[in-house]
Amino acid sequence: MARDGKKGIIAEFAEFINRGNVMDLAVGVIIGGAFTAVVNSLVSNVIQPLISFLTGGTKGVPGLSIDLNGSVVDFSVFISAIINFLITAAAVFAIVKALNELNRIRDIAAEKAGLAKKAEEDAKPAPRLCPYCKQEIAGNATRCPHCTSKLEGYKNSAE
């Protein structure tokens, strides 16, 4: 500790780094980078060659560029980028959809094996409602605090 009672910069930095959310973010970035490499490989090494084979290997649409005093505006490159984006998005969608299905199957198997609690068991009971004003009331209430109606179990010898 520093002389004035405050944490030193090294201690603050160590505390910051060891926080769970910073570590989660770091893991997410690393996994995201690796996943990007997998998706890029899938698109460039599997999907695009198949599309190129099916379309006869054309790499762009001729005649979609404009020459402006030596600067070329090439719309076919832009269209190609859009198509690559859509292919990549479709590949990511398919991968995520498959992973979600695997997780669903795993959850069903765990539930059948008795390893997971059912949602009904985990759910808290529905709140008790006053039959007259439909406001939420305590489970052991005998009068509604909102409309003062007498509820089931109400007993008052003075009345």
Side-chain angles (χ1 to χ4, degrees):
M1 274 220 184
R3 283 178 251 154
D4 61 356
K6 293 184 180 178
K7 292 181 185 177
I9 191 78
I10 302 294
E12 280 186 61
F13 182 71
E15 183 180 319
F16 170 77
I17 291 298
N18 288 322
R19 269 196 263 173
N21 55 356
V22 172
M23 298 306 279
D24 291 344
L25 179 62
V27 169
V29 168
I30 292 168
I31 295 294
F35 188 69
T36 299
V38 169
V39 170
N40 287 341
S41 175
L42 173 69
V43 170
S44 64
N45 298 323
V46 177
I47 296 173
Q48 284 181 341
L50 289 173
I51 291 174
S52 180
F53 174 75
L54 294 174
T55 61
T58 56
K59 273 226 172 220
V61 181
L64 287 180
S65 61
I66 301 172
D67 189 358
L68 301 173
N69 256 357
S71 296
V72 177
V73 178
D74 193 355
F75 293 106
S76 65
V77 173
F78 178 68
I79 293 170
S80 178
I82 291 173
I83 292 170
N84 286 342
F85 168 76
L86 293 174
I87 292 169
T88 303
V92 169
F93 175 76
I95 291 169
V96 169
K97 187 95 170 143
L99 290 175
N100 286 343
E101 184 64 18
L102 285 174
N103 286 336
R104 189 185 70 78
I105 291 169
R106 183 198 65 209
D107 291 345
I108 290 171
E111 187 177 309
K112 284 185 179 180
L115 300 174
K117 293 181 182 178
K118 293 185 179 179
E120 304 89 50
E121 295 171 1
D122 292 342
K124 66 179 188 177
R128 183 177 173 205
L129 299 178
C130 173
Y132 303 102
C133 68
K134 305 299 184 201
Q135 295 292 319
E136 187 174 334
I137 56 175
N140 59 353
T142 56
R143 281 195 90 133
C144 176
H146 306 285
C147 68
T148 68
S149 298
K150 296 174 186 172
L151 303 172
E152 186 178 323
Y154 178 79
K155 293 177 187 148
N156 188 350
S157 57
E159 287 183 35

